[in-house]
């Protein structure tokens, strides 16, 4: 089914095939605080990481960073209504170059109403502030500080099943307001041209041919409205769609997969930006050679909006392979490799990105967990329009405390 609808009710396929990362561990899973019919889950993550290229450029500068992420979530159910809330603060403190310090936050509310056993309605909102990662292919090249933006989003969704048929639909809206930055000389770098409202509508329908095989179709529409553009720059307003068909399937207890293939199109209101269309695809394959090992392969191709001056969009093609190994019941190792290609429209710029990750998660008890992680990223730019090139290594160690 549509990946975006995984939390909105598609349930085709067996549920007794569980990957290493998804397997419940009752003796180690955090225990919520219960007050009446409501469960609260407080948590805090405290991490220290070494980043050898904090500006993500060829002139690498390193720093040691302390990251603290307190959060609180709740869940309650009254008859057919389930409500969940969440709140989180994410603080990064750079010990050497304090100008890079950032604070993000998020507040969320989500509701589910079971009209009947076969029909469910959903609504939710998420609001807060995010910091754009400098490694983002679309991140500005010349700013002293990473870009931050405030966002407000909301969605309405519904899902219905009838025998072998399942259907789901969703509409959503999100607004973003970007903060201006400063370049190396202290001059103001306007980011208001990135302020926008995004409207989306998704629908999907699937039919279970057997307990192990389902086919589906999905459609997604979007409309992007930018508040203003600098000077005589072309309008970045656009609308687009994605149409695809695919299948989810299982082969015994060894293999589970999901894929769709179709076509995407993004059309710009201003003819100075090229329209873009092409092959749309998403693939996810999970292989379970033993109960202790899960291998996952992913691939995707689609269009992403660009905030780079002179370009309206870029086409992203990405592949990854991940291995999760349960060394002990409470110790999980993960290794992954990834490759991504980004091709920008309107300008001559192409990115080739390679990545790798190694991590270890040790759940000491239901409350305490230790985490160790290494991330590698190498980004190469090709073309006459200058792009971001860098190599980056990040080593993170931390502890997470959750529940009672």
């Amino acid at each position: 089914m549509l990946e975006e609808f995984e939390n909105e009710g598609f349930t085709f396929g067996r549920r007794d095939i569980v990957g290493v990362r998804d397997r419940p561990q009752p003796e180690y899973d955090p225990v919520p605080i219960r007050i009446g019919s409501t469960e609260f889950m407080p948590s805090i993550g405290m991490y220290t990481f070494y980043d050898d290229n904090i500006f993500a450029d060829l002139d690498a500068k390193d720093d040691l960073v302390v990251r603290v992420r307190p959060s609180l979530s709740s869940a309650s159910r009254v008859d057919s209504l389930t409500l969940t809330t969440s709140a989180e603060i994410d603080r990064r403190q750079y010990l050497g170059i304090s100008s890079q310090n950032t604070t993000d936050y998020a507040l969320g509310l989500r509701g589910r109403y079971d009209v009947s056993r076969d029909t469910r309605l959903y609504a939710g909102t998420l609001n807060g502030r995010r910091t754009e990662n400098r490694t983002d292919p679309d991140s500005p090249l010349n700013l002293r500080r990473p870009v931050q933006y405030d966002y407000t989003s909301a969605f309405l969704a519904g899902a219905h099943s009838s025998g072998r048929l399942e259907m789901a639909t969703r509409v959503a809206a999100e607004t973003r307001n970007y903060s201006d930055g400063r370049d190396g000389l202290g001059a103001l770098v306007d980011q208001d041209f990135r302020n926008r409202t995004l409207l989306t509508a998704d629908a999907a329908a699937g039919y279970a041919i057997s307990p192990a095989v389902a086919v589906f179709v999905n459609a997604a529409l979007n409309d992007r409205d930018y508040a203003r553009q600098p000077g005589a720059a072309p309008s970045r307003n656009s609308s687009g769609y994605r149409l695809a068909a695919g299948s989810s399937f299982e082969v015994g207890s060894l293999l589970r997969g999901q894929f769709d293939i179709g076509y995407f199109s993004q059309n710009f209101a201003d003819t100075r930006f090229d329209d873009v269309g092409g092959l749309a695809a998403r693939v996810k394959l999970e292989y379970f050679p033993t109960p202790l090992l899960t291998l996952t392969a992913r691939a995707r191709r689609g269009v992403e909006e660009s905030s780079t001056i002179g370009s309206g969009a870029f086409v992203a093609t990405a592949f990854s392979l991940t291995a999760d190994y349960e060394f002990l019941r409470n110790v999980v190792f993960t290794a992954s490799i990834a490759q991504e290609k980004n091709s920008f429209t309107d300008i001559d710029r192409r990115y080739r990105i390679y990545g790798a990750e190694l991590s270890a998660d040790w759940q000491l008890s239901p409350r305490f967990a230790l985490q160790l992680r290494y991330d590698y990223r190498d980004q190469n730019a090709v073309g006459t329009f200058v792009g971001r090139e860098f190599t980056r290594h990040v080593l993170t160690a931390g502890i997470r405390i959750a529940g009672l």
Side-chain angles (χ1 to χ4, degrees):
M1 302 309 109
L2 273 176
E3 183 178 349
E4 293 88 346
F5 282 116
E6 286 184 345
N7 293 326
E8 269 87 52
F10 281 115
T11 56
F12 288 123
R14 292 166 48 188
R15 294 302 169 209
D16 56 341
I17 305 177
V18 181
V20 168
R21 287 284 178 182
D22 300 322
R23 184 177 300 128
Q25 302 284 10
E27 64 270 44
Y28 292 106
D29 290 339
V31 179
I33 300 170
R34 180 180 292 274
I35 301 177
S37 61
T38 303
E39 292 184 343
F40 296 90
M41 179 62 75
S43 70
I44 183 169
M46 295 173 287
Y47 311 93
T48 299
F49 63 90
Y50 171 76
D51 186 340
D52 78 337
N53 194 348
I54 62 172
F55 294 105
D57 59 24
L58 293 176
D59 183 20
K61 291 182 174 61
D62 64 343
D63 205 348
L64 193 64
V65 187
V66 175
R67 186 179 188 184
V68 181
R69 301 183 68 181
S71 66
L72 175 64
S73 63
S74 70
S76 60
R77 183 177 178 88
V78 179
D79 296 327
S80 299
L81 178 64
T82 301
L83 289 176
T84 59
T85 64
S86 61
E88 180 184 72
I89 297 175
D90 187 355
R91 172 66 178 178
R92 295 180 179 89
Q93 183 77 33
Y94 287 73
L95 302 186
I97 307 177
S98 60
S99 63
Q100 301 305 296
N101 296 345
T102 60
T103 302
D104 296 346
Y105 66 91
L107 300 170
L109 173 65
R110 179 186 176 92
R112 165 179 165 168
Y113 181 71
D114 297 327
V115 179
S116 66
R117 186 180 65 177
D118 300 323
T119 304
R120 301 163 300 282
L121 300 177
Y122 304 83
T125 180
L126 184 65
N127 311 280
R129 174 173 296 171
R130 293 193 185 109
T131 299
E132 187 174 66
N133 198 319
R134 290 187 186 273
T135 62
D136 189 315
D138 206 29
S139 176
L141 302 175
N142 61 336
L143 298 186
R144 288 179 174 179
R145 292 174 51 84
V147 174
Q148 289 189 304
Y149 61 89
D150 296 322
Y151 64 92
T152 300
S153 64
F155 78 91
L156 293 172
H160 176 73
S161 60
S162 177
R164 297 187 177 190
L165 178 67
E166 289 202 39
M167 298 171 288
T169 186
R170 181 175 62 179
V171 293
E174 178 184 310
T175 62
R176 293 187 181 183
N177 186 11
Y178 286 78
S179 299
D180 293 336
R182 298 278 177 179
D183 64 16
L185 299 177
L188 183 69
V189 179
D190 178 45
Q191 293 293 300
D192 290 342
F193 76 95
R194 303 176 69 182
N195 296 346
R196 61 187 181 270
T197 298
L198 171 63
L199 303 177
T200 58
D202 304 84
Y207 183 79
I209 299 174
S210 72
V213 179
V215 293
F216 60 88
V217 294
N218 57 59
L221 305 176
N222 72 78
D223 183 81
R224 296 182 170 99
D225 181 29
Y226 284 77
R228 69 180 184 87
Q229 296 303 307
S235 168
R236 308 183 74 82
N237 295 347
S238 69
S239 59
Y241 65 86
R242 184 186 189 276
L243 301 175
S247 174
S248 59
F249 59 89
E250 294 165 356
V251 180
S253 60
L254 289 179
L255 182 66
R256 177 170 59 200
Q258 177 177 302
F259 72 91
D260 69 11
I261 187 169
Y263 184 82
F264 69 79
S265 176
Q266 197 70 29
N267 301 310
F268 289 86
D270 195 308
T271 57
R272 285 176 288 179
F273 281 134
D274 291 337
D275 297 336
V276 59
L279 174 70
R282 288 183 297 205
V283 179
K284 180 181 179 181
L285 296 175
E286 296 175 285
Y287 178 52
F288 312 93
T290 77
L292 303 180
L293 179 63
T294 301
L295 302 177
T296 305
R298 292 182 175 87
R300 62 176 174 84
R301 186 178 192 272
V303 63
E304 304 286 347
E305 63 180 320
S306 169
S307 296
T308 298
I309 297 294
S311 174
F314 64 91
V315 177
T317 305
F319 307 89
S320 68
L321 179 62
T322 302
D324 295 307
Y325 176 62
E326 189 177 295
F327 178 68
L328 298 172
R329 185 169 292 274
N330 61 329
V331 179
V332 174
F333 296 123
T334 296
S336 68
I337 55 174
Q339 180 181 354
E340 182 173 341
K341 297 179 181 179
N342 298 323
S343 180
F344 286 75
T345 61
D346 307 297
I347 61 175
D348 182 22
R349 176 192 290 176
R350 297 176 302 281
Y351 282 132
R352 186 183 294 271
I353 304 166
Y354 301 94
E357 173 199 329
L358 296 172
S359 68
D361 293 273
W362 183 9
Q363 193 73 35
L364 299 174
S365 70
R367 289 196 67 193
F368 299 97
L370 299 179
Q371 299 175 333
L372 184 66
R373 176 169 172 160
Y374 165 74
D375 290 283
Y376 167 79
R377 183 182 177 101
D378 179 59
Q379 181 168 305
N380 301 306
V382 178
T384 57
F385 198 93
V386 177
R388 184 187 295 274
E389 290 189 297
F390 66 93
T391 299
R392 190 184 198 187
H393 305 264
V394 180
L395 181 61
T396 304
I399 183 171
R400 182 174 181 269
I401 305 171
L404 288 172

